[in-house]
Amino acid sequence: ETGVTQTPRHLVMGMTNKKSLKCEQHLGHNAMYWYKQSAKKPLELMFVYSLEERVENNSVPSRFSPECPNSSHLFLHLHTLQPEDSALYLCASSQGTASYEQYFGPGTRLTVT
Amino acid sequence: GQQVMQIPQYQHVQEGEDFTTYCNSSTTLSNIQWYKQRPGGHPVFLIQLVKSGEVKKQKRLTFQFGEAKKNSSLHITATQTTDVGTYFCAASGNTPLVFGKGTRLSVIA
């Protein structure tokens, strides 16, 4: 499945680093999402973009900063992360934000040291 | 906000046994979706249920939506090792999907 791609697949970063996660969807969808998946909270919605506008921000710390330059691309900019931010970060897309199936990318496994 | 509770959290079965996971909400749902995530993989959409009392089948998988549209179930008949993974329900409507915590299925050969 190559409908939604994510890079990098694995990332190790120190708490003082700045890095970015990239997501690209090739499905012509209008909505894109960032999820955090960890053992404690299996699928935690972070951000939702619809037609490049952020429509939901679920009380995510400001050290996570999303960017959606167009409907096909989504970024998650990371800075001064904490070890508890280590998790799998999943990107997803769908035709719209309500009642549409979501297509997930393979995820970025992030480790914060 | 809308929440869905999923039980059980874990299920270990012998190959060939049946398996069921349940999804419950305190509020009426517009529709419900089911996803499967294989170990090391990402969630993959299985099905969406929309109508009250709806039942859909995919080979050995049977999906049901309750009459009151407050609960749903996924039943697997005669599990196989290929069924291992985590099964998530997700409630949808006018807001983005709300996922349950998932049921992790292990199948012992």
Side-chain angles (χ1 to χ4, degrees):
Chain A
E1 298 175 19
T2 56
V4 182
T5 57
Q6 287 186 245
T7 55
R9 295 293 306 276
H10 301 272
L11 178 62
V12 179
M13 59 185 289
M15 290 190 285
T16 58
N17 289 160
K18 288 185 180 181
K19 295 286 184 183
S20 295
L21 309 185
K22 179 183 176 182
C23 175
E24 185 173 358
Q25 59 99 357
H26 311 274
L27 301 168
H29 289 166
N30 293 320
M32 296 187 76
Y33 312 78
W34 279 117
Y35 288 88
K36 177 184 178 181
Q37 188 172 46
S38 62
K40 291 185 178 179
K41 293 187 180 181
L43 271 172
E44 186 180 1
L45 180 64
M46 300 175 73
F47 302 104
V48 181
Y49 276 83
S50 177
L51 297 171
E52 301 146 47
E53 285 193 20
R54 191 190 309 181
V55 297
E56 192 152 328
N57 174 354
N58 281 1
S59 303
V60 179
S62 59
R63 56 186 184 269
F64 295 91
S65 175
E67 179 189 0
C68 187
N70 55 63
S71 59
S72 299
H73 293 86
L74 186 65
F75 295 89
L76 188 62
H77 303 299
L78 317 170
H79 63 98
T80 59
L81 294 191
Q82 304 298 312
E84 59 263 30
D85 296 322
S86 299
L88 180 68
Y89 288 84
L90 290 160
C91 173
S93 71
S94 62
Q95 283 188 316
T97 55
S99 301
Y100 290 99
E101 64 192 77
Q102 292 187 9
Y103 292 78
F104 285 81
T108 295
R109 174 67 62 184
L110 174 66
T111 303
V112 182
T113 61
Chain B
Q2 194 169 65
Q3 287 188 344
V4 287
M5 304 299 294
Q6 205 172 338
I7 55 171
Q9 191 174 356
Y10 302 97
Q11 185 79 61
H12 306 279
V13 299
Q14 287 284 140
E15 189 173 20
E17 290 182 341
D18 292 355
F19 158 77
T20 305
T21 173
Y22 301 90
C23 188
N24 300 299
S25 172
S26 59
T27 60
T28 302
L29 304 171
S30 296
N31 46 58
I32 198 153
Q33 298 180 6
W34 286 92
Y35 291 76
K36 176 184 178 182
Q37 184 174 17
R38 295 181 185 273
H42 55 275
V44 175
F45 174 80
L46 293 177
I47 207 159
Q48 177 168 270
L49 304 172
V50 178
K51 299 177 183 176
S52 167
E54 189 170 15
V55 177
K56 287 188 176 180
K57 292 190 175 184
Q58 289 180 351
K59 297 182 180 179
R60 295 178 293 104
L61 277 62
T62 302
F63 304 84
Q64 289 189 302
F65 202 5
E67 293 289 343
K69 300 184 75 174
K70 289 186 176 181
N71 55 71
S72 180
S73 65
L74 157 59
H75 179 83
I76 302 178
T77 303
T79 55
Q80 300 176 358
T81 54
T82 53
D83 295 324
V84 298
T86 301
Y87 293 84
F88 294 95
C89 65
S92 63
N94 294 325
T95 59
L97 288 180
V98 175
F99 282 84
K101 291 190 174 183
T103 296
R104 184 178 296 179
L105 172 65
S106 300
V107 179
I108 305 164

